[in-house]
Amino acid sequence: MTTKTQDVTVTVNGAARTLACAGTTTLLTVLRDDLLLTGAKRGCNQGVCGACTVLIDGRPMRSCLTLAANLDGAEVTTVEGLAPRGELTRVQESLLKQNAVQCGFCTSGMVMVAHDFLQRNPDPDVEEVRDALSGNLCRCSGYRALVDAVIDAATGGAA
């Protein structure tokens, strides 16, 4: 028995891609297995941990729960697409500066959420940052360095 696929055209990190997707194929599977973009991680595969977070039409979404077949015409940005010329974003620089990267498994999801959050709220307080990051799990840290890094990125490195 063959699996029926449909062609879906998605812009991924600025490049239009036409993908043959089965109805049950997730965006995470397409990104990692077909496009070899491995920044989004397969963590819980239930939308709980946030490791697979990408931006879809500018908003953070869990790619493990998003069916690729539903994305025709959408724009997807992965962590690889935030800094296409190899330059780190302010959030990425601050994560390094604040020693907020440990094993790195949650980092891409945290970066995507923090990037979106700072676009919408460029001058957050600590509680707002904690709330913004609350949907992403990190098994290595107590989150303080992550929160400090987002505050640092918001202040342009002055924190």
Side-chain angles (χ1 to χ4, degrees):
M1 182 160 113
T2 60
T3 302
K4 184 176 178 177
T5 63
Q6 69 184 60
D7 284 346
V8 177
T9 301
V10 181
T11 301
V12 179
N13 297 334
R17 306 294 294 261
T18 299
L19 310 166
C21 301
T24 58
T25 303
T26 65
L27 175 60
L28 181 60
T29 297
V30 169
L31 292 173
R32 292 184 62 81
D33 298 350
D34 298 340
L35 301 180
L36 304 179
L37 296 169
T38 58
K41 304 295 187 235
R42 187 178 312 280
C44 67
N45 214 35
Q46 297 176 353
V48 176
C49 72
C52 67
T53 303
V54 298
L55 301 179
I56 300 175
D57 294 330
R59 301 298 296 180
M61 301 289 287
R62 305 292 204 240
S63 63
C64 74
L65 296 180
T66 304
L67 296 177
N70 293 338
L71 295 176
D72 196 42
E75 183 172 329
V76 175
T77 305
T78 68
V79 71
E80 293 93 343
L82 286 183
R85 292 181 304 279
E87 299 168 11
L88 296 179
T89 66
R90 194 167 12 161
V91 169
Q92 292 167 319
E93 288 176 354
S94 291
L95 285 167
L96 291 172
K97 178 179 164 187
Q98 296 294 328
N99 294 315
V101 177
Q102 290 183 25
C103 82
F105 196 80
C106 72
T107 304
S108 62
M110 291 283 187
V111 167
M112 300 310 287
V113 168
H115 174 81
D116 170 69
F117 172 68
L118 291 176
Q119 296 295 310
R120 292 181 291 109
N121 185 354
D123 188 26
D125 62 34
V126 170
E127 287 305 314
E128 291 171 320
V129 172
R130 285 183 183 146
D131 186 54
L133 297 180
S134 67
N136 289 65
L137 301 178
C138 175
R139 294 181 176 105
C140 297
S141 79
Y143 296 95
R144 181 171 183 158
L146 293 164
V147 172
D148 290 347
V150 176
I151 293 292
D152 183 69
T155 61

